[in-house]
Amino acid sequence: MRIEDVEVASLQVDPKYQRALGNLHVDRLVQQFNPAALGEIDVSERKNGEMFVIDGHHRWIACKRVGHKKMQARVHKGLSSAQEASLFLDLNFTRSVTPGAKYNARMLMDEPDALAITAAVEAEGFTIDPTRAVHGQTVAGISKLDHIYKNYGSDTIQAVLRVTKFAWPTDPKGREATMLGGIARFLVTYPNTGVEALGRKLGQSTLQELTQSRR
């Protein structure tokens, strides 16, 4: 493995293992584009000389969109497609670092997505506690908040939390990850639904009843 500058135009991705592109995430990278913050991506140089992005897909697309010519990369040589896929999983889904630890590090780095998620949660009167079960005025599901933010934006996070306040104002379990994700999907699927109306309707059932119905 070596570290070097690679031409953005020379790179490609292998759809057999690469995740689907998160367009909202790319849009934010483009809007806040900062070459100094790109870091190093991971690239596989195959035997025929072709270069495939293993980790850094979104950053690479953002560079293409803004016309940035070169990126710094860790270049791995001689990997098979299976080895590339294995490295991709190691880099993207490692369990050695918990979501809570990642969130704390992201906040220390002033990472834009983490700051935006935190601002959306705090705007509704809550705080994020990724280290323990939801309690009091906290929201614990940082991975679910990340998913909602990357796919639907910070406005949806706020709308979801407003629904939980109308539905279960005194029960923090309404802010668990599964419930947050379900409400987000409903609001995106039916965008004309009133937040208060949905909250009042959901509040007619207990969380236990809703969970049993879902199962």
Side-chain angles (χ1 to χ4, degrees), residues 5-203:
D5 286 338
V6 296
E7 295 287 341
V8 170
S10 71
L11 301 174
Q12 54 187 307
V13 297
D14 189 333
K16 292 194 296 293
Y17 61 80
Q18 272 291 352
R19 56 185 169 178
L21 191 67
N23 290 316
L24 283 175
H25 184 40
V26 174
D27 289 343
R28 283 190 291 275
L29 289 174
V30 170
Q31 292 165 6
Q32 303 160 356
F33 191 76
N34 178 6
L38 289 172
E40 297 168 353
I41 64 172
D42 283 85
V43 169
S44 172
E45 182 179 344
R46 296 184 178 176
K47 292 180 180 179
N48 61 5
E50 291 183 326
M51 308 276 277
F52 285 80
V53 177
I54 299 175
D55 183 58
H57 185 191
H58 293 83
R59 285 173 285 162
W60 169 59
I61 293 295
C63 284
K64 290 181 68 175
R65 293 240 320 246
V66 302
H68 192 65
K69 301 299 184 184
K70 291 187 177 182
M71 303 182 73
Q72 194 167 64
R74 289 182 290 268
V75 180
H76 306 262
K77 293 194 68 172
L79 300 181
S80 66
S81 294
Q83 289 172 323
E84 288 177 10
S86 178
L87 180 57
F88 169 80
L89 290 174
D90 289 342
L91 291 169
N92 285 276
F93 300 103
T94 178
R95 296 182 181 274
S96 61
V97 181
T98 66
K102 290 179 181 178
Y103 170 77
N104 291 332
R106 291 163 64 193
M107 290 299 291
L108 285 172
M109 295 165 57
D110 290 333
E111 192 241 79
D113 284 8
L115 293 174
I117 292 168
T118 301
V121 170
E122 291 179 349
E124 295 305 319
F126 300 109
T127 58
I128 295 176
D129 185 349
T131 64
R132 53 186 293 193
V134 66
H135 60 97
Q137 294 300 105
T138 69
V139 179
I142 184 61
S143 295
K144 184 61 65 177
L145 291 172
D146 256 324
H147 174 80
I148 295 172
Y149 178 71
K150 288 177 180 177
N151 287 277
Y152 312 128
S154 58
D155 287 346
T156 299
I157 290 179
Q158 290 188 243
V160 168
L161 292 175
R162 285 198 295 272
V163 169
T164 68
K165 286 192 287 188
F166 284 119
W168 312 286
T170 62
D171 192 343
K173 290 185 179 297
R175 299 188 300 277
E176 290 182 339
T178 300
M179 192 60 65
L180 297 178
I183 294 171
R185 289 184 63 185
F186 188 96
L187 290 173
V188 171
T189 304
Y190 304 100
N192 295 325
T193 302
V195 167
E196 181 174 357
L198 176 59
R200 301 295 186 196
K201 186 69 173 178
L202 287 173

